[in-house]
Amino acid sequence: MAALLTVVPCLPVMAKAQSTPGCEPCHGEIEFLRQHVSTLEEAQALLAPAGVLAASAHGELGCADCHVGLRRYPHGDAPPPTPCAACHEESRGRWAVGLHALDEAAACADCHGVHDVLTRDELGTPEGMRHVRQACRSCHFEASAAAAEPHRGSISCVGCHDAHATLASDDEEARTHVLNQAETCGACHQDASISWRSDAHGGAVPRLVHPAEERPREAARVEPPACSACHGAHGILARSDTLFVESMVLRCSECHEPYAESFADSYHGQAHGLGSVTVASCQDCHGSHGIYAEADARSMVGEARLLETCQSCHPDATAGFALFQPHADHNDREKYPYVYWSYHLMTALLIGVFTVFGAHTFFWLVRLGFDALRGNPQGAGHDAGD
C-alpha cells in the first residue's frame, strides 16, 4: 500500500531560497507552461503555484532547496531534484526494503505528491484518508474498500499496511501476515485481540503456519484462522451486516466441514439455508473471538455455560432443552445411538410407507386402465361383482 504516513519536515531546515519569487511567474501559470511543452499533462507536471507549496508540509522550503542548479532561465538540461532521502533518510531506508522499491514501482512522489505534500496530521483527517486511498487505488484498484465497510471513514490503507516498509501479506514480517494480524488489528480492536490470542483459533495459527515436519499441514487449502480469515481483508463487513451473518457458516465450514454438514441437517441449519438471518449460527453458540474447546470451562457450549447460551435466544429454555445435540451425526451409532436408531428407523418407516402406497397406487391405476379398455365405467366392474 501507499507509503504516506510519516511525512516529516527536514530537521535541519534549509534557508528558504531566494529563487521562489522568480519561479512563480512561469511555474504558476498553466497557459505559459502549455506554450513551452507538447501536452497539457507535461504542463500540469511543471505547474507549482507558490501558494500550494507554502500550504504543504514543505512550506518552509523554497523551490531551489530541492531543485538545485536552476537559478537561471532558460534552465537547459535540468539536473534531477534533490533525493527525498536527503531529509527523510529513515523513511527512505524503510521504503527500500518494501515492495514499492522493486523497480521503483511507487516512488515518494507517487504517493506523497510533488508540491502539495500533506503532513502526518492532515493524512489522518477524512480528506487525507481519501487521498491515501486514491493514491493506493491508482495501482491496487481491486483492493478498494467497499462503500459499506466500517473502516472506510476511520482508517486508511496505511493503518493496516506499513506506510513505507510495505510487504506482501505472506511475508512473516508484514503487518498483515496472519501471525501479526492480532497486533495490527488489536491497535484498534484491543478486546477482540486479547480474547482471540488465548482461544482455540489464536493457539492454532502458529501451528498451521509452521506445521511439524512429520505431519502434513492440516489446513493447507484454507487461510489460518486469524482476523482476515473470518472478516476478510478489504471487503470487511460490519457484524450487523446481513451479508456478514450469512457468510459466517460458509467461512467456518472451510475448516470445520463435518460440523457444517451436521449443522445443515439441524433446524438451525435448515432455517439458515432458507435465508434466515435471525436463527442461531456458528458465532451465536460458539462465540466470535473467545472460542474454546467444549471441555474448557470458558466455552459457551461447555456443560457449565450451555444453558446460558441457549437462553440467549430461548429465554424459557430448561436443562432438558439444552440436551439438544446440534452436531449429532446420525451415522455414528456408537457416539449417538439414539439419534442413529431414530434416524434410520424413521427413514425405513418413511420408505416403507411410500413403497406400499406407491405400489397400491400403481396397481390401482393399472386396473383403471383395464376397465377403460373394456369400456366399463370407472370402477363399474367392481361394483357388479365381475
Side-chain angles (χ1 to χ4, degrees):
M1 292 296 115
L4 292 165
L5 192 59
T6 55
V7 179
V8 184
C10 305
L11 295 179
V13 178
M14 295 177 280
K16 191 167 185 178
Q18 297 300 317
S19 62
T20 299
C23 301
E24 175 70 12
C26 296
H27 291 276
E29 178 52 58
I30 187 68
E31 291 300 327
F32 174 84
L33 295 170
R34 182 65 183 87
Q35 296 172 21
H36 292 79
V37 294
S38 301
T39 65
L40 177 61
E41 288 73 17
E42 290 178 315
Q44 290 174 332
L46 294 172
L47 185 65
V52 173
L53 180 62
S56 74
H58 291 168
E60 295 296 325
L61 304 179
C63 302
D65 291 327
C66 294
H67 301 279
V68 296
L70 299 178
R71 295 182 179 275
R72 293 185 178 183
Y73 179 82
H75 299 317
D77 294 332
T82 301
C84 301
C87 295
H88 305 285
E89 184 176 358
E90 181 181 355
S91 297
R92 175 61 173 76
R94 291 183 58 77
W95 172 84
V97 301
L99 293 176
H100 288 158
L102 298 176
D103 298 324
E104 291 198 357
C108 305
D110 294 324
C111 300
H112 291 268
V114 180
H115 298 106
D116 54 345
V117 182
L118 297 174
T119 66
R120 179 172 181 172
D121 290 340
E122 288 172 330
L123 290 174
T125 65
E127 182 62 32
M129 287 189 286
R130 283 193 291 270
H131 171 78
V132 172
R133 290 196 187 93
Q134 186 60 40
C136 298
R137 193 179 297 122
S138 63
C139 295
H140 306 281
F141 54 90
E142 293 182 352
S144 300
E149 183 172 309
H151 290 162
R152 190 174 181 86
S154 59
I155 195 170
S156 64
C157 306
V158 296
C160 299
H161 300 269
D162 192 286
H164 293 104
T166 310
L167 303 172
S169 293
D170 59 356
D171 189 316
E172 291 190 15
E173 297 298 321
R175 295 178 61 192
T176 53
H177 189 271
V178 292
L179 291 176
N180 304 321
Q181 287 181 11
E183 180 179 356
T184 300
C185 300
C188 296
H189 307 283
Q190 186 175 13
D191 291 343
S193 175
I194 292 174
S195 60
W196 176 87
R197 289 172 189 268
S198 64
D199 76 2
H201 286 164
V205 166
R207 297 197 306 271
L208 295 176
V209 173
H210 299 295
E213 294 182 0
E214 64 272 11
R215 64 177 175 81
R217 181 169 174 173
E218 298 174 355
R221 62 186 178 86
V222 296
E223 183 180 355
C227 308
S228 60
C230 296
H231 295 277
H234 296 105
I236 298 175
L237 300 171
R239 290 183 60 189
S240 58
D241 194 295
T242 301
L243 293 177
F244 178 79
V245 176
E246 292 176 346
S247 68
M248 283 313 301
V249 172
L250 178 61
R251 296 189 185 227
C252 296
S253 67
E254 291 179 349
C255 295
H256 305 285
E257 188 174 353
Y259 292 104
E261 294 175 357
S262 58
F263 172 78
D265 290 336
S266 69
Y267 168 77
H268 289 159
Q270 293 178 25
H272 182 274
L274 292 173
S276 173
V277 295
T278 58
V279 70
S281 60
C282 309
Q283 72 274 16
D284 296 301
C285 297
H286 294 274
S288 299
H289 297 103
I291 302 174
Y292 304 97
E294 184 177 351
D296 194 307
R298 296 169 294 178
S299 172
M300 291 179 61
V301 295
E303 183 177 357
R305 299 185 59 191
L306 180 58
L307 180 58
E308 176 187 352
T309 300
C310 294
Q311 288 176 340
S312 63
C313 293
H314 307 279
D316 297 329
T318 62
F321 182 94
L323 295 177
F324 170 70
Q325 297 173 317
H327 292 295
D329 184 356
H330 55 260
N331 291 315
D332 190 338
R333 182 171 61 181
E334 294 184 2
K335 190 173 182 179
Y336 305 104
Y338 294 109
V339 175
Y340 174 87
W341 287 112
S342 297
Y343 174 82
H344 286 83
L345 289 176
M346 288 301 297
T347 301
L349 177 62
L350 184 65
I351 294 175
V353 169
F354 275 95
T355 299
V356 172
F357 282 94
H360 177 274
T361 302
F362 173 75
F363 289 117
W364 182 264
L365 292 174
V366 171
R367 181 53 189 265
L368 291 177
F370 282 126
D371 287 344
L373 291 175
R374 290 186 298 184
N376 292 336
Q378 190 173 18
H382 299 288
D383 295 337
D386 291 342

